Amino acid sequence: MQVDSKAIDKFLVELLTEVGTRLREDSIKKMSVATKKNRNDLVTNFDKKTEQFINGEIKQAYPDATIVSEEGYGDLVKDMSGLVFFVDPIDGTMNFVKRGDNFASMIAAYIDGEPLNGAIIDVMDNEIYHGGKEIGLFINDRKIDNPKNLPLVEGLVDVSAPMALANKFAVQDVIKKSSGFRVYGSAGIIFGHLLTGKEVMYMSYLAPWDLAAGRVMCEAAGMSVVSIDDAPINMLESQVVIVGTQKVVSEALKTLKTR
Amino acid sequence: MQVDSKAIDKFLVELLTEVGTRLREDSIKKMSVATKKNRNDLVTNFDKKTEQFINGEIKQAYPDATIVSEEGYGDLVKDMSGLVFFVDPIDGTMNFVKRGDNFASMIAAYIDGEPLNGAIIDVMDNEIYHGGKEIGLFINDRKIDNPKNLPLVEGLVDVSAPMALANKFAVQDVIKKSSGFRVYGSAGIIFGHLLTGKEVMYMSYLAPWDLAAGRVMCEAAGMSVVSIDDAPINMLESQVVIVGTQKVVSEALKTLKTR
């Protein structure tokens, strides 16, 4: 199947620009809702309507593509053949609800199972990380260099809170060998940190739509994206994933206890 | 002793504005230094020269005041009588070195032991949180309202990484009752989150200069600032401190195991 990565990139950037505008408006509306229950209902509603909007735009531009998405408006995808889009309308929902910052919207395109394009918008900062192996990586219009291949001792690591606090897989041994531990609570935001070298590793249990865009871009930036048992990533299932510089992921895999 | 809180506020904002400009330049210079050792020496140097600059300006404007500061250019302060300034030139040094964002510079003024003025600059966002009980609270020129007195279940909490990972004082029981756990790695940045309601609690082992400005402003915003054994805060010693909404701190003190 022939696809034009540059055209998809342009499409994704325009789409996420519009999504960003809508979500910033939603974030302001949300603040005026008094009760917690009403606020939660409203956010669920924002999440669903954002996904419906994104999926609708994809279907219009790429009618033959299939869509894997969080809120249930996608397709029932059983294999990765052809052009497949992954959609996470609001990533970091708790940050959206409680903080009003550090949340993202993410879309990725894969072709016959291969990572092609990724795009993540840091909604409140209005910065779109986008690109892929063929076209390079950008923040908005600015091309970015690959981050340095730093070792664990030289960088900050972000591990999902439940995993870190429970010391699953002895992950605290990895954290202790690093420069320090951070928890930002949104995969999309953390992928931005990895792409700009602010952090050197992220480890979490991720659904396909949590991982898809970040995987495309981190691999394009020369980083490693592996499942914890070092098996190939399965884009149709959730799994524990380690993303980081090649040096850090190699060190982490040696340190983690997976059985 | 007569002091003018409004005049001190103006002085602190002007001083931190200049400090912010200098530190943003330093942050760019730092990136060009190749080796890790040279980079660390450079950062130590930035830290010291920033403190020397701040302390010099304070001494000129308030010659009779005493100064408690991190890097050793302050006074040997044995009691809190008179006008006492607390200075933390770069708070979140690891973020400064590794990320280039989420670090702060903080100054506070206390009079005869009582919190008077606080000022914290989020250097890269160029936002100055400042004010006190007498004059109210501001971000740059904008007056801010006090955050809501939310309970633990409705907010995000930030606990220092070593404390959270080791489950000191059974703090994970507090974390589990909250909406979620975040780690930002800079007291100054986190005080900003508390003042704007993005997080509802911060718990960490803090030195006087880590705590001084945040304490002034969080107390002025109606929040609680307590030591873990519920003893009065001692501004001349380091201690484990809990800062948060009144509801959250009360819940935390009931949940934490301190003996």
Side-chain angles (χ1 to χ4, degrees):
Chain A
M1 190 175 174
Q2 277 293 81
V3 286
D4 181 345
S5 179
K6 212 166 166 181
I8 293 178
D9 181 66
K10 186 167 176 284
F11 167 71
L12 294 181
V13 169
E14 283 171 7
L15 182 48
L16 284 187
T17 302
E18 173 62 24
V19 167
T21 305
R22 289 168 179 233
L23 283 177
R24 282 189 296 277
E25 282 165 15
D26 287 347
S27 185
I28 292 163
K29 268 186 230 154
K30 174 204 72 185
M31 305 301 284
S32 64
V33 177
T35 74
K36 194 186 155 193
K37 193 192 164 304
N38 290 352
R39 208 158 49 229
N40 289 347
D41 291 349
L42 196 68
V43 169
T44 306
N45 183 34
F46 289 155
D47 221 351
K48 289 184 173 173
K49 87 175 184 200
T50 304
E51 179 169 311
Q52 283 176 315
F53 170 70
I54 294 173
N55 289 14
E57 296 290 308
I58 293 173
K59 282 284 174 202
Q60 207 168 348
Y62 297 94
D64 298 331
T66 48
I67 302 176
V68 181
S69 55
E70 181 167 20
E71 301 295 327
Y73 301 101
D75 302 306
L76 196 65
V77 177
K78 292 196 172 162
D79 68 77
M80 291 286 293
S81 64
L83 184 59
V84 181
F85 284 89
F86 292 84
V87 176
D88 190 351
I90 304 179
D91 172 72
T93 315
M94 201 53 92
N95 285 347
F96 177 71
V97 176
K98 300 295 175 189
R99 305 182 59 90
D101 67 8
N102 282 340
F103 60 93
S105 186
M106 314 198 271
I107 315 176
Y110 283 61
I111 181 73
D112 292 329
E114 289 301 309
L116 184 69
N117 282 82
I120 298 173
I121 184 167
D122 175 334
V123 174
M124 296 314 289
D125 282 357
N126 201 15
E127 292 199 308
I128 302 179
Y129 300 79
H130 60 102
K133 221 168 264 180
E134 287 185 27
I135 60 171
L137 295 168
F138 302 82
I139 300 176
N140 297 334
D141 293 338
R142 182 163 46 90
K143 201 169 188 344
I144 56 171
D145 295 329
N146 291 353
K148 286 185 203 157
N149 186 13
L150 292 177
L152 189 51
V153 67
E154 284 205 43
L156 299 168
V157 300
D158 199 314
V159 178
S160 85
M163 209 170 270
L165 294 176
N167 196 19
K168 283 197 186 145
F169 314 110
V171 68
Q172 292 192 7
D173 292 344
V174 176
I175 292 170
K176 277 170 199 152
K177 290 179 183 176
S178 76
S179 288
F181 175 55
R182 299 292 179 266
V183 180
Y184 275 81
S186 155
I189 294 300
I190 298 163
F191 287 130
H193 297 168
L194 292 171
L195 290 168
T196 50
K198 291 178 181 177
E199 296 175 2
V200 295
M201 191 192 92
Y202 175 45
M203 180 168 157
S204 185
Y205 182 78
L206 296 178
W209 44 83
D210 293 323
L211 175 62
R215 181 192 171 197
V216 173
M217 292 192 278
C218 288
E219 286 187 355
M223 279 182 265
S224 296
V225 182
V226 301
S227 76
I228 188 162
D229 48 9
D230 213 6
I233 297 287
N234 182 339
M235 287 310 298
L236 298 174
E237 281 179 12
S238 298
Q239 61 225 288
V240 175
V241 179
I242 312 167
V243 185
T245 68
Q246 293 188 19
K247 281 185 188 168
V248 167
V249 171
S250 158
E251 284 178 83
L253 286 173
K254 278 177 209 147
T255 305
L256 293 164
K257 291 189 180 61
T258 55
R259 62 200 76 209
Chain B
M1 192 176 171
Q2 277 293 81
V3 286
D4 181 346
S5 179
K6 212 166 167 181
I8 292 178
D9 180 67
K10 186 166 176 287
F11 166 71
L12 293 181
V13 169
E14 283 171 6
L15 181 49
L16 283 187
T17 301
E18 173 62 23
V19 167
T21 305
R22 289 165 179 235
L23 283 177
R24 282 190 296 278
E25 283 165 14
D26 287 346
S27 184
I28 292 163
K29 269 186 232 155
K30 174 203 72 185
M31 307 300 281
S32 64
V33 177
T35 73
K36 194 185 157 195
K37 194 192 164 302
N38 290 352
R39 210 157 49 230
N40 289 348
D41 290 350
L42 197 68
V43 169
T44 306
N45 184 34
F46 289 156
D47 220 350
K48 288 185 174 174
K49 87 176 183 199
T50 305
E51 180 169 311
Q52 282 176 315
F53 170 69
I54 294 173
N55 289 13
E57 295 292 307
I58 293 172
K59 281 285 173 199
Q60 206 169 349
Y62 297 93
D64 298 332
T66 48
I67 302 176
V68 180
S69 56
E70 182 168 20
E71 301 297 327
Y73 300 101
D75 302 306
L76 195 67
V77 177
K78 294 196 170 161
D79 68 79
M80 292 286 292
S81 63
L83 184 60
V84 180
F85 284 90
F86 292 85
V87 176
D88 189 352
I90 305 180
D91 173 71
T93 316
M94 201 53 93
N95 285 347
F96 176 71
V97 176
K98 301 295 176 188
R99 306 182 58 92
D101 67 9
N102 281 341
F103 59 93
S105 187
M106 314 199 272
I107 315 176
Y110 283 61
I111 181 74
D112 293 327
E114 289 302 309
L116 183 69
N117 282 81
I120 298 173
I121 184 167
D122 176 335
V123 174
M124 296 314 288
D125 283 356
N126 201 13
E127 293 199 308
I128 302 179
Y129 300 79
H130 60 102
K133 220 167 265 178
E134 286 185 26
I135 59 171
L137 294 167
F138 301 81
I139 300 176
N140 297 334
D141 291 339
R142 182 165 47 90
K143 202 170 186 346
I144 56 172
D145 294 330
N146 291 353
K148 285 184 203 159
N149 185 14
L150 292 176
L152 189 51
V153 67
E154 285 206 43
L156 300 169
V157 300
D158 199 315
V159 178
S160 84
M163 210 170 268
L165 294 175
N167 195 21
K168 282 198 186 142
F169 314 111
V171 68
Q172 292 193 7
D173 292 344
V174 176
I175 293 171
K176 277 170 199 151
K177 291 180 183 176
S178 76
S179 288
F181 174 55
R182 298 292 180 266
V183 180
Y184 275 80
S186 154
I189 295 298
I190 299 162
F191 287 129
H193 297 167
L194 292 171
L195 290 169
T196 51
K198 291 178 180 176
E199 296 176 0
V200 295
M201 190 192 90
Y202 176 43
M203 180 168 156
S204 185
Y205 182 78
L206 297 177
W209 43 83
D210 294 323
L211 175 62
R215 181 193 172 195
V216 172
M217 291 192 279
C218 288
E219 286 186 354
M223 279 182 267
S224 295
V225 182
V226 302
S227 76
I228 188 163
D229 49 8
D230 214 6
I233 297 286
N234 182 340
M235 287 311 296
L236 298 174
E237 281 179 13
S238 298
Q239 61 224 290
V240 176
V241 178
I242 312 167
V243 185
T245 68
Q246 292 188 18
K247 281 186 187 167
V248 167
V249 171
S250 156
E251 283 177 86
L253 285 173
K254 278 177 207 147
T255 305
L256 293 164
K257 291 187 178 65
T258 53
R259 64 198 76 209

